[in-house]
PDB file of all heavy atoms in Angstrom:
ATOM      1  N   GLN A 202      -2.685  10.237  42.647  1.00 97.00           N
ATOM      2  CA  GLN A 202      -1.412  10.149  41.974  1.00 97.00           C
ATOM      3  C   GLN A 202      -0.743  11.480  41.797  1.00 97.00           C
ATOM      4  O   GLN A 202       0.487  11.718  42.058  1.00 97.00           O
ATOM      5  CB  GLN A 202      -1.496   9.486  40.606  1.00 97.00           C
ATOM      6  CG  GLN A 202      -0.175   9.248  39.913  1.00 97.00           C
ATOM      7  CD  GLN A 202       0.815   8.409  40.692  1.00 97.00           C
ATOM      8  OE1 GLN A 202       0.467   7.279  41.019  1.00 97.00           O
ATOM      9  NE2 GLN A 202       1.953   8.924  41.038  1.00 97.00           N
ATOM     10  N   SER A 203      -1.511  12.517  41.410  1.00 97.00           N
ATOM     11  CA  SER A 203      -0.915  13.835  41.257  1.00 97.00           C
ATOM     12  C   SER A 203      -0.472  14.377  42.577  1.00 97.00           C
ATOM     13  O   SER A 203       0.633  15.041  42.644  1.00 97.00           O
ATOM     14  CB  SER A 203      -1.972  14.770  40.682  1.00 97.00           C
ATOM     15  OG  SER A 203      -2.193  14.568  39.325  1.00 97.00           O
ATOM     16  N   ALA A 204      -1.164  14.125  43.677  1.00 98.00           N
ATOM     17  CA  ALA A 204      -0.727  14.560  44.994  1.00 98.00           C
ATOM     18  C   ALA A 204       0.598  13.870  45.365  1.00 98.00           C
ATOM     19  O   ALA A 204       1.513  14.528  45.884  1.00 98.00           O
ATOM     20  CB  ALA A 204      -1.816  14.269  46.025  1.00 98.00           C
ATOM     21  N   VAL A 205       0.710  12.587  45.122  1.00 96.00           N
ATOM     22  CA  VAL A 205       1.954  11.831  45.390  1.00 96.00           C
ATOM     23  C   VAL A 205       3.099  12.389  44.576  1.00 96.00           C
ATOM     24  O   VAL A 205       4.233  12.553  45.068  1.00 96.00           O
ATOM     25  CB  VAL A 205       1.749  10.401  45.149  1.00 96.00           C
ATOM     26  CG1 VAL A 205       3.057   9.617  45.176  1.00 96.00           C
ATOM     27  CG2 VAL A 205       0.801   9.781  46.188  1.00 96.00           C
ATOM     28  N   ASN A 206       2.781  12.695  43.266  1.00 95.00           N
ATOM     29  CA  ASN A 206       3.867  13.281  42.426  1.00 95.00           C
ATOM     30  C   ASN A 206       4.443  14.543  43.039  1.00 95.00           C
ATOM     31  O   ASN A 206       5.679  14.790  42.882  1.00 95.00           O
ATOM     32  CB  ASN A 206       3.310  13.656  41.064  1.00 95.00           C
ATOM     33  CG  ASN A 206       2.871  12.489  40.274  1.00 95.00           C
ATOM     34  OD1 ASN A 206       3.192  11.357  40.592  1.00 95.00           O
ATOM     35  ND2 ASN A 206       2.074  12.754  39.230  1.00 95.00           N
ATOM     36  N   MET A 207       3.649  15.332  43.698  1.00 96.00           N
ATOM     37  CA  MET A 207       4.097  16.646  44.301  1.00 96.00           C
ATOM     38  C   MET A 207       4.776  16.406  45.658  1.00 96.00           C
ATOM     39  O   MET A 207       5.723  17.031  46.021  1.00 96.00           O
ATOM     40  CB  MET A 207       2.947  17.586  44.372  1.00 96.00           C
ATOM     41  CG  MET A 207       2.426  17.989  43.003  1.00 96.00           C
ATOM     42  SD  MET A 207       3.688  18.952  42.047  1.00 96.00           S
ATOM     43  CE  MET A 207       3.897  20.412  43.110  1.00 96.00           C
ATOM     44  N   ARG A 208       4.118  15.545  46.494  1.00 96.00           N
ATOM     45  CA  ARG A 208       4.560  15.391  47.870  1.00 96.00           C
ATOM     46  C   ARG A 208       5.882  14.483  47.916  1.00 96.00           C
ATOM     47  O   ARG A 208       6.788  14.746  48.667  1.00 96.00           O
ATOM     48  CB  ARG A 208       3.540  14.742  48.753  1.00 96.00           C
ATOM     49  CG  ARG A 208       2.475  15.736  49.320  1.00 96.00           C
ATOM     50  CD  ARG A 208       1.918  15.211  50.551  1.00 96.00           C
ATOM     51  NE  ARG A 208       0.758  15.946  51.004  1.00 96.00           N
ATOM     52  CZ  ARG A 208       0.805  17.019  51.781  1.00 96.00           C
ATOM     53  NH1 ARG A 208       1.998  17.448  52.250  1.00 96.00           N
ATOM     54  NH2 ARG A 208      -0.281  17.683  52.167  1.00 96.00           N
ATOM     55  N   ASP A 209       5.840  13.410  47.187  1.00 92.00           N
ATOM     56  CA  ASP A 209       6.931  12.427  47.283  1.00 92.00           C
ATOM     57  C   ASP A 209       7.253  11.856  45.941  1.00 92.00           C
ATOM     58  O   ASP A 209       7.007  10.683  45.628  1.00 92.00           O
ATOM     59  CB  ASP A 209       6.416  11.332  48.232  1.00 92.00           C
ATOM     60  CG  ASP A 209       7.464  10.288  48.516  1.00 92.00           C
ATOM     61  OD1 ASP A 209       8.690  10.676  48.450  1.00 92.00           O
ATOM     62  OD2 ASP A 209       7.138   9.152  48.866  1.00 92.00           O
ATOM     63  N   PRO A 210       7.787  12.687  45.065  1.00 89.00           N
ATOM     64  CA  PRO A 210       8.197  12.192  43.693  1.00 89.00           C
ATOM     65  C   PRO A 210       9.185  11.050  43.834  1.00 89.00           C
ATOM     66  O   PRO A 210      10.323  11.272  44.292  1.00 89.00           O
ATOM     67  CB  PRO A 210       8.778  13.437  42.992  1.00 89.00           C
ATOM     68  CG  PRO A 210       9.160  14.336  44.137  1.00 89.00           C
ATOM     69  CD  PRO A 210       8.225  14.103  45.278  1.00 89.00           C
ATOM     70  N   SER A 211       8.766   9.858  43.506  1.00 74.00           N
ATOM     71  CA  SER A 211       9.647   8.666  43.677  1.00 74.00           C
ATOM     72  C   SER A 211      10.609   8.435  42.535  1.00 74.00           C
ATOM     73  O   SER A 211      11.495   7.644  42.580  1.00 74.00           O
ATOM     74  CB  SER A 211       8.814   7.433  43.974  1.00 74.00           C
ATOM     75  OG  SER A 211       7.915   7.193  42.831  1.00 74.00           O
ATOM     76  N   GLN A 212      10.299   9.036  41.435  1.00 62.00           N
ATOM     77  CA  GLN A 212      11.184   8.894  40.244  1.00 62.00           C
ATOM     78  C   GLN A 212      11.248  10.172  39.513  1.00 62.00           C
ATOM     79  O   GLN A 212      10.448  11.089  39.645  1.00 62.00           O
ATOM     80  CB  GLN A 212      10.601   7.817  39.257  1.00 62.00           C
ATOM     81  CG  GLN A 212       9.204   8.101  38.777  1.00 62.00           C
ATOM     82  CD  GLN A 212       8.685   6.980  37.959  1.00 62.00           C
ATOM     83  OE1 GLN A 212       9.383   5.995  37.702  1.00 62.00           O
ATOM     84  NE2 GLN A 212       7.453   7.074  37.543  1.00 62.00           N
ATOM     85  N   HIS A 213      12.400  10.326  38.719  1.00 57.00           N
ATOM     86  CA  HIS A 213      12.568  11.579  38.042  1.00 57.00           C
ATOM     87  C   HIS A 213      11.471  11.817  37.002  1.00 57.00           C
ATOM     88  O   HIS A 213      10.976  10.895  36.367  1.00 57.00           O
ATOM     89  CB  HIS A 213      13.977  11.638  37.383  1.00 57.00           C
ATOM     90  CG  HIS A 213      15.100  11.637  38.316  1.00 57.00           C
ATOM     91  ND1 HIS A 213      15.132  12.478  39.394  1.00 57.00           N
ATOM     92  CD2 HIS A 213      16.197  10.925  38.440  1.00 57.00           C
ATOM     93  CE1 HIS A 213      16.215  12.283  40.099  1.00 57.00           C
ATOM     94  NE2 HIS A 213      16.902  11.320  39.498  1.00 57.00           N
ATOM     95  N   GLY A 214      11.137  13.085  36.824  1.00 60.00           N
ATOM     96  CA  GLY A 214      10.072  13.461  35.832  1.00 60.00           C
ATOM     97  C   GLY A 214      10.778  13.646  34.450  1.00 60.00           C
ATOM     98  O   GLY A 214      11.780  12.972  34.152  1.00 60.00           O
ATOM     99  N   ILE A 215      10.184  14.556  33.718  1.00 62.00           N
ATOM    100  CA  ILE A 215      10.697  14.798  32.347  1.00 62.00           C
ATOM    101  C   ILE A 215      12.144  15.333  32.381  1.00 62.00           C
ATOM    102  O   ILE A 215      12.985  14.958  31.598  1.00 62.00           O
ATOM    103  CB  ILE A 215       9.775  15.732  31.601  1.00 62.00           C
ATOM    104  CG1 ILE A 215       8.428  15.016  31.304  1.00 62.00           C
ATOM    105  CG2 ILE A 215      10.351  16.231  30.320  1.00 62.00           C
ATOM    106  CD1 ILE A 215       7.392  15.884  30.677  1.00 62.00           C
ATOM    107  N   ALA A 216      12.430  16.244  33.343  1.00 59.00           N
ATOM    108  CA  ALA A 216      13.743  16.781  33.537  1.00 59.00           C
ATOM    109  C   ALA A 216      14.396  16.085  34.743  1.00 59.00           C
ATOM    110  O   ALA A 216      13.746  15.773  35.693  1.00 59.00           O
ATOM    111  CB  ALA A 216      13.682  18.273  33.721  1.00 59.00           C
ATOM    112  N   ASP A 217      15.732  15.935  34.662  1.00 59.00           N
ATOM    113  CA  ASP A 217      16.463  15.263  35.759  1.00 59.00           C
ATOM    114  C   ASP A 217      17.255  16.377  36.557  1.00 59.00           C
ATOM    115  O   ASP A 217      18.257  16.828  36.080  1.00 59.00           O
ATOM    116  CB  ASP A 217      17.435  14.258  35.220  1.00 59.00           C
ATOM    117  CG  ASP A 217      18.243  13.546  36.324  1.00 59.00           C
ATOM    118  OD1 ASP A 217      18.019  13.866  37.478  1.00 59.00           O
ATOM    119  OD2 ASP A 217      19.023  12.644  36.003  1.00 59.00           O
ATOM    120  N   PRO A 218      16.726  16.784  37.729  1.00 56.00           N
ATOM    121  CA  PRO A 218      17.371  17.877  38.446  1.00 56.00           C
ATOM    122  C   PRO A 218      18.663  17.478  39.067  1.00 56.00           C
ATOM    123  O   PRO A 218      19.425  18.380  39.488  1.00 56.00           O
ATOM    124  CB  PRO A 218      16.293  18.197  39.518  1.00 56.00           C
ATOM    125  CG  PRO A 218      15.521  16.948  39.739  1.00 56.00           C
ATOM    126  CD  PRO A 218      15.500  16.273  38.361  1.00 56.00           C
ATOM    127  N   THR A 219      19.027  16.215  39.128  1.00 54.00           N
ATOM    128  CA  THR A 219      20.319  15.858  39.723  1.00 54.00           C
ATOM    129  C   THR A 219      21.495  16.309  38.868  1.00 54.00           C
ATOM    130  O   THR A 219      22.621  16.330  39.336  1.00 54.00           O
ATOM    131  CB  THR A 219      20.386  14.336  39.952  1.00 54.00           C
ATOM    132  OG1 THR A 219      20.331  13.684  38.679  1.00 54.00           O
ATOM    133  CG2 THR A 219      19.260  13.906  40.826  1.00 54.00           C
TER     134      THR A 219
END
Side-chain angles (χ1 to χ4, degrees):
Q202 182 61 58
S203 287
V205 170
N206 294 346
M207 293 297 295
R208 277 205 192 271
D209 186 25
S211 59
Q212 58 185 355
H213 293 313
I215 292 175
D217 182 358
T219 63

